[in-house]
Amino acid sequence: MSTPERVQPAAGQLERLMEVVRPEFRGEEFYPPRDSRVFFQGECRIPSCERMLSYSVKQLCTAHYQRWVQAGRPEFEAWVPSEDAYQRHHRVIRGCAVTGCRRSMNGCLPRICTRHSELWQAAGAPDLDEWLATARYEAPPHGERDCVLPDCPWWTTGPGSALCRRHYIRWRNNGHPELPDDQLTEWFERLELRRDPYIRFHDLGRQVRLEVQFGLQRRADIGDRHTAPRTVTRALSWIRES
């Protein structure tokens, strides 16, 4: 009489989830593709803004919705064009007005970089146009250094800095992580992704995280129900608090 073949137990739920949840859903953060109509319903209503919208009622991204609220919720149709003009003016990184200088403006004094601002102030802060008419760029003894970001045309503020002034300010305002130069480009790329709504899975148990990620994967695959990242983030907060 033959011995019956031993049946192996089925893999547990955790193992099964690890098998079926695809890599793009399994990270610490999930950045929905911009062309997904499951997770996004279009771009921000401000014409010069390229972020995906978060607040469908006003058709605004998170940043512009917050700016509208902080402005006191003014009449919306009048606010949109004025906000668009503000956005267009501030999104451009402008260079120093001193001929030959490729440092970006310092963000405080218009038209000149930090180094030339110091020279202008040392000269007694005369009329800026008159000072610019005679100002001449002189290369420092240590030379100039390009911003480490490949698409940035500006110089850094000195040999010890990897970033131009404007990118340095953005790095400083977003946690100023200590990273080697070769990792800064990737960090700024992730920062760009975070301009759109995304979902963080921090502080979730491994299985709970995979269950949520599997649910998002199924929503994406089926494609018939809008799933706003902001709503998922709120639900994850409830899970963490439970």
Side-chain angles (χ1 to χ4, degrees), residues 16-136:
R16 180 58 179 154
L17 286 168
M18 292 178 65
E19 291 176 0
V20 299
V21 177
R22 298 193 295 272
E24 62 266 32
F25 291 91
R26 286 181 58 175
E28 288 286 326
E29 298 169 345
F30 172 55
Y31 301 98
R34 290 175 60 89
D35 60 354
S36 170
R37 286 298 172 258
V38 172
F39 298 106
F40 296 129
Q41 291 185 312
E43 293 186 355
C44 179
R45 185 176 175 182
I46 305 300
S48 57
C49 180
E50 298 176 350
R51 299 184 184 98
M52 306 307 288
L53 63 87
S54 297
Y55 293 84
S56 57
V57 173
K58 290 296 183 183
Q59 298 288 296
L60 292 175
C61 67
T62 300
H64 280 116
Y65 180 81
Q66 291 173 349
R67 283 183 56 80
W68 177 70
V69 171
Q70 291 167 0
R73 301 175 186 263
E75 199 283 319
F76 193 70
E77 296 302 327
W79 176 81
V80 167
S82 64
E83 181 64 20
D84 183 49
Y86 175 89
Q87 167 91 8
R88 290 180 187 277
H89 177 75
H90 284 82
R91 70 184 298 181
V92 177
I93 299 179
R94 294 174 173 82
C96 179
V98 174
T99 301
C101 180
R102 283 203 297 112
R103 287 183 292 273
S104 57
M105 296 191 309
N106 70 1
C108 297
L109 188 70
R111 301 171 61 192
I112 55 178
C113 66
T114 300
R115 193 178 303 170
H116 283 114
S117 174
E118 293 171 354
L119 293 173
W120 172 75
Q121 291 173 356
D127 178 83
L128 186 57
D129 287 326
E130 293 179 2
W131 184 82
L132 284 170
T134 59
R136 297 292 181 268

Side-chain angles (χ1 to χ4, degrees), residues 163-210:
L163 300 169
C164 71
R165 177 67 179 172
R166 293 295 294 273
H167 281 120
Y168 168 80
I169 291 173
R170 194 171 179 200
W171 169 81
R172 183 191 64 193
N173 292 343
N174 285 276
H176 49 83
E178 295 296 334
L179 297 171
D181 292 357
D182 60 355
Q183 293 182 23
L184 280 171
T185 298
E186 182 181 352
W187 182 83
F188 271 94
E189 288 173 351
R190 289 200 306 272
L191 192 63
E192 283 299 310
L193 288 173
R194 291 175 181 174
R195 291 162 66 90
D196 291 331
Y198 67 101
I199 301 166
R200 298 181 63 200
F201 301 108
H202 65 288
D203 297 335
L204 292 176
R206 190 179 185 188
Q207 179 155 332
V208 172
R209 175 187 301 191
L210 283 166

